[in-house]
Amino acid sequence: MERGESISLPDTFMPDFHDKDAVLRMPYKTLGQTGLKISALSFGASSLGNVFRSTNETEGIEVVREALRQGINYIDVAPWYGHGLAEKVLGKALEGIPRTAYYIATKVGRYQPEVDRMFDFSAERTLQSVDESLQRMGLDYVDVIQVHDMEFAPNLDIIINETLPALRKLQQSGKARFIGITGYPLKNFRTVLEGSTIKIDTVLTYCRACIHDSGLRDYTPFLKEKGVGVINASPIAMGLLSNRGPPDWHPATKEIKDACAKAAVFCNDNGCDISRLAMAYTLGFPGVDSTLFSTASLENLRKNISSVYNPLSSKEEEILKEAIKRYIDPLTKCHWEGVEVEEYKRQLQGIHNQGSFKLG
């Protein structure tokens, strides 16, 4: 058990709502210096916004409630997920559940599907966004308010000098308890944490503490030194580490996709599910306070929770090590930093060029 872990009942435990035995089985860690004791497995509500596939709202609502009953007490959402839909469905799911039974984190900065309306890190839009999120979810406050995918800002100075001070105002007003930053490029966390005069309590990244990419390991000592809580999302790397494979839009290089596909086949041929191995790998990743996953399926929810209680067998551990040795270690580059930002800039420039032509 790592320092900060606990098997005692968390502050979010409600006798009339929770399955006490399940809560006692769930490991909890303190999120940085926030004092929040959060579950080792946390729930990402992006699936409620039909981000990955069309989902059944009724089942999605039950997934949230069952996740909470089973001891998951940290939920992450954003206006971007379904462009408000995920927050609305989440609000329905939380109706009637005591507010003290869970922690909620949402985000600012990323909003609409249109490229020229997708991002806005201005102070004015930031303040407005939080009010909109609270209204959608039917809440008076969130526990953590985060800057969403800050690498898409024109520059990080805007995050440091405008977005974060706006979040501090929200914190002072009581609409948010703690402040976080999120993104894919790891070096940005160091830049913003060292440059900000606003205290940052949490960071959230994704696909960086996974079988194919353990890059977060190089940053966790710095983050812990800063007293920052660390959340890693997408243990199966947005489908890379699954038998189904990633969606067409996945930004990984062909080299990474091919290596992960071969690893999945190798695991399957040896009687192992690569998704289970991937979850176990991330759950055991040092320096991570919680692993964030998303689903709108009760079956997948139970499968993910089961991963917490059922460690890998010796055979599964051997297959995992061999898969990494054969297919992952030879990778020349294990991440796709910059790919999505460059594509976004290319599309944005195209829109600006069209506008200039029309004006001319």
Side-chain angles (χ1 to χ4, degrees), residues 99-135:
R99 180 62 182 89
T100 52
Y102 55 84
Y103 302 123
I104 287 274
T106 193
K107 308 181 186 79
V108 299
R110 189 167 190 168
Y111 303 106
Q112 298 302 322
E114 297 83 9
V115 173
D116 55 342
R117 299 176 61 213
M118 193 174 290
F119 295 97
D120 188 341
F121 296 96
S122 67
E124 181 181 5
R125 185 68 185 97
T126 295
L127 295 171
Q128 179 187 348
S129 176
V130 174
D131 285 338
E132 291 168 353
S133 291
L134 292 175
Q135 184 175 21

Side-chain angles (χ1 to χ4, degrees), residues 332-346:
T332 56
K333 193 175 184 180
C334 59
H335 62 78
W336 51 88
E337 283 191 13
V339 172
E340 292 170 293
V341 174
E342 287 307 311
E343 176 60 20
Y344 165 71
K345 288 180 178 177
R346 186 189 67 77

Side-chain angles (χ1 to χ4, degrees), residues 102-283:
Y102 55 84
Y103 302 123
I104 287 274
T106 193
K107 308 181 186 79
V108 299
R110 189 167 190 168
Y111 303 106
Q112 298 302 322
E114 297 83 9
V115 173
D116 55 342
R117 299 176 61 213
M118 193 174 290
F119 295 97
D120 188 341
F121 296 96
S122 67
E124 181 181 5
R125 185 68 185 97
T126 295
L127 295 171
Q128 179 187 348
S129 176
V130 174
D131 285 338
E132 291 168 353
S133 291
L134 292 175
Q135 184 175 21
R136 288 188 202 107
M137 293 187 286
L139 301 176
D140 296 323
Y141 70 93
V142 292
D143 296 283
V144 184
I145 187 66
Q146 306 161 105
V147 184
H148 200 170
D149 292 342
M150 58 187 182
E151 64 266 29
F152 288 92
N155 56 68
L156 292 178
D157 288 342
I158 292 172
I159 304 297
I160 293 169
N161 298 319
E162 189 162 353
T163 318
L164 287 169
L167 294 186
R168 175 61 179 148
K169 287 183 180 178
L170 290 162
Q171 186 182 40
Q172 291 172 325
S173 73
K175 293 178 181 178
R177 297 173 66 191
F178 301 102
I179 292 171
I181 51 178
T182 81
Y184 182 71
L186 297 170
K187 61 183 180 296
N188 287 351
F189 292 125
R190 183 184 293 273
T191 301
V192 174
L193 282 163
E194 290 181 339
S196 175
T197 58
I198 305 300
K199 177 173 171 53
I200 297 167
D201 303 290
T202 68
V203 301
L204 183 154
T205 190
Y206 58 97
C207 305
R208 305 310 299 268
C210 295
I211 290 174
H212 76 288
D213 181 4
S214 58
L216 183 58
R217 195 185 308 272
D218 296 332
Y219 286 82
T220 48
F222 167 76
L223 296 171
K224 291 301 178 183
E225 180 187 329
K226 288 288 187 180
V228 175
V230 180
I231 296 174
N232 173 64
S234 195
I236 63 168
M238 302 190 299
L240 276 177
L241 304 170
S242 69
N243 291 320
R244 179 187 295 180
D248 293 339
W249 52 259
H250 201 291
T253 62
K254 185 178 185 302
E255 182 194 22
I256 295 172
K257 288 178 180 177
D258 288 349
C260 291
K262 289 175 183 176
V265 170
F266 172 77
C267 293
N268 193 57
D269 287 347
N270 284 276
C272 297
D273 179 356
I274 193 171
S275 295
R276 172 171 156 75
L277 305 188
M279 175 62 85
Y281 181 90
T282 300
L283 284 170

